[in-house]
Amino acid sequence: MKIGMCMFLWTTAVSKKHEPLLRDIKATGFDGVEIPIFVGVPDDYKKLGDLLDRIGLERTAVSAMGDPSMNLISADAATRKAGVEYMKWAVDCADALGARTLSGPLHSTLGAFSGSGPTPAEKNRSLASQRAIGDHAGKRNVTIGLEALNRFECYLFNTMADLSEHIDAVGRPHIKAMYDTFHANIEEADPIGAYTKHRRNVVHIHISENDRGVPGRGNIPWKETFAAIRKSGYDDWLTIESFGRSLKDLAAATKVWRDFSETPEAVYREGYKHIKNGWKKAA
């Protein structure tokens, strides 16, 4: 098992100016960090990967699609094509970074709603988009971890059951799922079962408290969660995802209107201990 920290708490564009923070994350004990991919070119991420190598941090990648002009399930072919091209670019950046997983709600436009649930036509268009993305991801040896989001952030996939069924239909080995404890706490009648029943497709896990603050301070059933993950044989990343108000656009997208901790340091230092102890007790 590896413990990671998502950099969304501070930025959507990690650079050398974050080196002191990255070194403190390493000193805390983390195995790696999750790097947002939104801007730049692959060479920028190659340089960032070199910096992480010098610090001794492994890495995963995360992104999202908030621009309706790149909606992967749009009825407009040109819009879908733009979305596929964006994803190919993000995969190339993740590869240059040295990240083997790229996760997030990479199936539809974040925060965009049609006024009804997903239609068969939208899901069919998603199949075509994800297959094209999966073929490119396979060439780069990057696996996409699609994320089921709560109903207030998207409408295409809210539960692990719906997401996993779709991934099976996509039929591409580099298109898989991410399990997020925050979203499962909202949408799943049985958050633990939502993980165990669909473990076969899970390649990445976000450790996120019910208020998106410090892991361990809220009401997520952590004892049962860690026990289920460990019993399932999962031995990859447990990455803390928390949000704050420092990034206006990201705070608006994630509906963050208040601070969830006294300091960012409390999130990753206390959160690291929470995962380490929870995993040990689950043995």
Side-chain angles (χ1 to χ4, degrees), residues 6 36 39 60 62 74 78 97 101 104-105 114 133 135 138 144 172 186 196 205 213 216 218 237-238 255 267 283:
C6 182
V39 296
T60 57
V62 64
S74 171
L97 177 68
T101 58
S114 65
I133 295 165
D135 289 341
I144 307 296
R172 294 296 189 272
I186 295 174
T196 57
I205 294 176
W237 288 98
L238 298 179
K255 310 299 184 290
V267 175

Side-chain angles (χ1 to χ4, degrees), residues 227-271:
I229 294 171
R230 187 153 191 166
K231 184 178 180 180
S232 76
Y234 181 88
D235 195 28
D236 217 307
W237 288 98
L238 298 179
T239 296
I240 296 173
E241 184 186 49
S242 182
F243 293 95
R245 294 189 298 163
S246 60
L247 299 172
K248 183 179 179 180
D249 290 344
L250 185 59
T254 54
K255 310 299 184 290
V256 171
W257 316 124
R258 68 184 191 280
D259 293 321
F260 298 133
S261 64
E262 58 276 21
T263 64
E265 289 78 12
V267 175
Y268 68 86
R269 291 174 184 166
E270 190 174 323

Side-chain angles (χ1 to χ4, degrees), residues 140-180:
R140 298 289 186 266
N141 192 28
V142 173
T143 298
I144 307 296
L146 298 179
E147 183 178 17
L149 261 61
N150 70 79
R151 76 196 79 169
F152 307 108
E153 295 182 43
C154 89
Y155 70 95
L156 187 63
F157 300 118
N158 299 133
T159 67
M160 289 298 292
D162 285 345
L163 175 62
S164 193
E165 179 183 27
H166 192 70
I167 288 170
D168 289 342
V170 170
R172 294 296 189 272
H174 289 82
I175 299 293
K176 293 295 183 179
M178 175 173 73
Y179 176 75
D180 185 296

